[in-house]
Amino acid sequence: MDLKGKTAVITGSSRGIGFAIAEAFAKKGANIVINDIVVPDETVESIKAYGVDCIGVVADISDFEQAKSLIDAAKDKFGSVDVLVNNAGITRDGLLLRMKEKDFDDVIRINLKGTFNTIRHASKIMLRQRSGAIINLSSVVGLSGNVGQLNYSASKAGVLGITKTAAKELGARGITCNAIAPGFIKTAMTEVLSDEVKKEMLSAIPLGRQGLPEDVAKVAVFFAENDYITGQVVNCDGGMVMQ
Ligand code: NAP
């Protein structure tokens, strides 16, 4: 897909990986819908500075109706929904034996059901258009599991199931659906980890550095631009997890 003039909706994109993806698509000439729980005006303005149009839509994507309002807002403003990036996600880490039920439910509701919600609404529009690219943020721990992240790794493994099934169901109408599995990326999500955990994670990365949001954004652009790749997972992790 040539991204110039297309519409890209990116959930959870007021910061971190989502914002880097919004910037990368804007640099390719796509109009951007920034979604988050809070969307500062400056965030929208900083995307417009790339010479594209941008709107901010506050919506909790774990709520089915709010997810619909996000997709509707994109379609109303720009007339199409060409790219959907399911990036919004949370962690609520803890060992299995101590994990609170609410922490399990919240992570599944936002990371997994939120991904279903937006795809459910956006795919209706993409099916009519007979084109579209859906990109889901999974995680390497969705492939490998991780101590203290039972809820998160379950949600991210579920995202891979959604990705492959949506790819099979939507492919006949020219819609691709792929997943990115980042490793250890420098954002607010990983800043909260202890120095000890950070050191341990770094030692497991053959390329010897923490990833940047921009590294992940390059994979999102790659998937959106390629119309003949679907149902795939690309790890963006410096070699942390090799399959
Ligand atoms: P981040 O800095 O925490 O950004 C995530 C954004 O999503 C936040 O702005 C957050 O808002 C928003 N969000 C949370 N719940 C939402 C909801 N229900 N509706 C709309 N927006 C919501 O995280 P990140 O590190 O950039 O991660 C982005 C994605 O990559 C996530 O899916 C994450 O699981 C995945 N990932 C990250 C890493 C990593 O190392 N950073 C590794 C593997 C996978 P609030 O501030 O209100 O929470």
Side-chain angles (χ1 to χ4, degrees), residues 189-208:
M189 184 177 272
T190 50
E191 269 319 291
V192 296
L193 298 171
S194 70
D195 287 345
E196 196 189 340
V197 170
K198 284 181 187 166
K199 207 172 151 200
E200 196 183 311
M201 290 180 86
L202 269 177
S203 71
I205 300 175
L207 287 177

Side-chain angles (χ1 to χ4, degrees), residues 49-71:
Y50 290 103
V52 297
D53 206 350
C54 177
I55 56 168
V57 180
V58 171
D60 175 350
I61 49 92
S62 72
D63 179 278
F64 193 70
E65 290 309 318
Q66 289 189 46
K68 182 173 188 312
S69 72
L70 165 64
I71 301 301

Side-chain angles (χ1 to χ4, degrees), residues 158-232:
V159 165
L160 298 179
I162 287 181
T163 302
K164 291 172 187 176
T165 303
K168 288 186 177 181
E169 290 193 14
L170 304 174
R173 297 273 189 106
I175 301 162
T176 62
C177 185
N178 292 289
I180 307 173
F184 180 38
I185 312 296
K186 204 170 171 49
T187 68
M189 184 177 272
T190 50
E191 269 319 291
V192 296
L193 298 171
S194 70
D195 287 345
E196 196 189 340
V197 170
K198 284 181 187 166
K199 207 172 151 200
E200 196 183 311
M201 290 180 86
L202 269 177
S203 71
I205 300 175
L207 287 177
R209 69 164 174 93
Q210 191 172 9
L212 299 173
E214 292 73 21
D215 295 318
V216 182
K218 284 179 194 162
V219 187
V221 168
F222 166 79
F223 275 141
E225 288 186 333
N226 281 270
D227 300 329
Y228 200 59
I229 297 177
T230 198
Q232 304 303 312

Side-chain angles (χ1 to χ4, degrees), residues 11-18 35-37 59-62 86-90 110-111 137-140 152 156 182-190:
T11 69
S13 53
S14 69
R15 68 171 196 226
I17 293 171
N35 152 257
D36 215 299
I37 300 295
D60 175 350
I61 49 92
S62 72
N86 282 303
N87 167 81
I90 62 164
I110 293 172
N111 298 5
L137 271 292
S138 177
S139 165
V140 288
Y152 184 74
K156 294 301 187 180
F184 180 38
I185 312 296
K186 204 170 171 49
T187 68
M189 184 177 272
T190 50

